[in-house]
Amino acid sequence: MFMEERQKDIVRRLNETGRIMVSEIQEIYGVSADCARRDLRELERKGLLQRTHGGALPAEPKGIYPEKTYTPKDLPEVRKNYLIVAKKALEYIGQQEVVYITTSSVGYYMALNIPDSLQVTVLTNSVTIADVLRKKECCKVIFLGGEMSSRGHCHDYYTVRMVKNIRIDKAFLSHTAFSLNFGASIHDSAGVEFGKAVMESSTMNIGVYPSEKIGKTSIHSVCKASDYDLLITDTDVSQDFLTQAEEMGLACDVADEKED
């Protein structure tokens, strides 16, 4: 069994039983204790579980190990916090602006909800988001192409070169995790250079992070927290985070469901 298959099965078992121990992982998969702990650390970084002494508990809400071909369109139901953040982000787009929209679920919800009255040019490196936008007459779409991943994203050398030649008014970015100490981070290093290139080409960089992603870290740093001009999140974010963000000079807009 390959590592990815083993980790996927660990998440499945964990969500079914409510907990899993390092000793169980050793016995079930025939791996060492160190290997079992590395699996749990990796899965915790991805937000799929919470490590405990000697094992792990399910993430809250339960983590779902994504399929290789997963796209936001495959979500079984709308993520309320993500939608709230997406709609708040749309309020920051002005007429005739050139904007980049993240490939994440928030970006997908942004694309779905762009009003017909908003004339805008949208850059995207997601086939799924491009397909949504092509049906909107109000949008001009610039697809940032290159070698495509199994999830329909492009972020290779050719994609980076393309985005470096475009001036962006506002970039709306979201990554696997965000913390004030480590900044924005992802578990796949392939997207780091592309993320940095987008931010360098943009006049204003806006982080769109539902509260589930706040206070967590993944493996590879994309940018510092202070590299964002604004952070949009939802009311489930902790007050401690907002206080610390204010102290370090990071502006935050907390989207409230009542405003929707």
Side-chain angles (χ1 to χ4, degrees):
M1 181 179 285
F2 292 109
M3 181 186 70
E4 187 176 85
E5 294 175 314
R6 183 177 67 248
Q7 291 181 356
K8 181 177 180 179
D9 198 56
I10 289 171
V11 173
R12 180 188 64 78
R13 288 177 181 273
L14 177 60
N15 287 336
E16 288 177 354
T17 62
R19 68 180 299 131
I20 195 165
M21 305 301 292
V22 169
S23 57
E24 290 179 71
I25 296 173
Q26 289 181 258
E27 182 179 348
I28 294 168
Y29 305 104
V31 297
S32 68
D34 285 344
C35 180
R37 292 189 185 97
R38 280 197 299 272
D39 281 344
L40 295 183
R41 283 197 297 270
E42 173 71 9
L43 291 168
E44 185 178 49
R45 288 192 188 100
K46 295 178 179 179
L48 298 172
L49 53 76
Q50 300 175 54
R51 280 190 300 153
T52 62
H53 181 68
L57 296 173
E60 193 58 48
K62 289 182 178 179
I64 299 174
Y65 201 98
E67 298 294 335
K68 288 185 176 181
T69 57
Y70 160 85
T71 75
K73 190 176 180 179
D74 298 324
L75 290 171
E77 58 185 30
V78 173
R79 294 179 175 178
K80 185 180 295 185
N81 286 7
Y82 286 59
L83 179 60
I84 292 169
V85 170
K87 289 186 174 182
K88 173 59 69 173
L90 290 173
E91 296 177 12
Y92 285 89
I93 301 179
Q95 292 289 349
Q96 305 300 329
E97 286 189 331
V98 177
V99 302
Y100 169 78
I101 292 182
T102 173
T103 61
S104 72
S105 299
V106 172
Y108 178 67
Y109 291 144
M110 285 179 69
L112 286 174
N113 289 279
I114 289 178
D116 294 336
S117 60
L118 184 61
Q119 300 294 316
V120 62
T121 298
V122 180
L123 280 70
T124 181
N125 56 317
S126 163
V127 171
T128 303
I129 291 177
D131 188 53
V132 171
L133 295 173
R134 73 177 178 82
K135 301 168 187 175
K136 291 180 174 283
E137 293 185 5
C138 63
C139 295
K140 292 181 180 178
V141 183
I142 298 176
F143 183 70
L144 302 169
E147 184 174 349
M148 189 182 301
S149 74
S150 56
R151 294 182 184 171
H153 301 165
C154 300
H155 43 57
D156 69 348
Y157 167 83
Y158 300 102
T159 322
V160 171
R161 287 292 298 271
M162 187 174 182
V163 80
K164 283 184 176 181
N165 286 290
I166 300 174
R167 177 52 54 196
I168 305 168
D169 293 309
K170 295 181 180 116
F172 296 87
L173 301 121
S174 191
H175 300 92
T176 305
F178 181 87
S179 73
L180 295 176
N181 292 330
F182 197 55
S185 55
I186 55 179
H187 59 263
D188 184 355
S189 62
V192 172
E193 188 177 355
F194 174 76
K196 291 180 182 294
V198 170
M199 297 185 83
E200 289 172 1
S201 294
S202 179
T203 302
M204 183 177 188
N205 291 301
I206 301 175
V208 284
Y209 289 91
S211 53
E212 291 98 312
K213 296 185 175 186
I214 298 289
K216 297 180 180 179
T217 60
S218 189
I219 304 171
H220 307 287
S221 174
V222 179
C223 68
K224 297 180 294 185
S226 58
D227 289 335
Y228 282 118
D229 300 291
L230 173 68
L231 184 78
I232 301 175
T233 187
D234 58 77
T235 53
D236 287 338
V237 72
S238 73
Q239 186 57 51
D240 285 345
F241 172 84
L242 295 176
T243 300
Q244 292 173 36
E246 182 180 2
E247 289 173 351
M248 69 181 294
L250 175 60
C252 295
D253 190 344
V254 180
D256 192 334
E257 184 179 6
K258 296 175 183 178
E259 299 174 6
D260 185 22

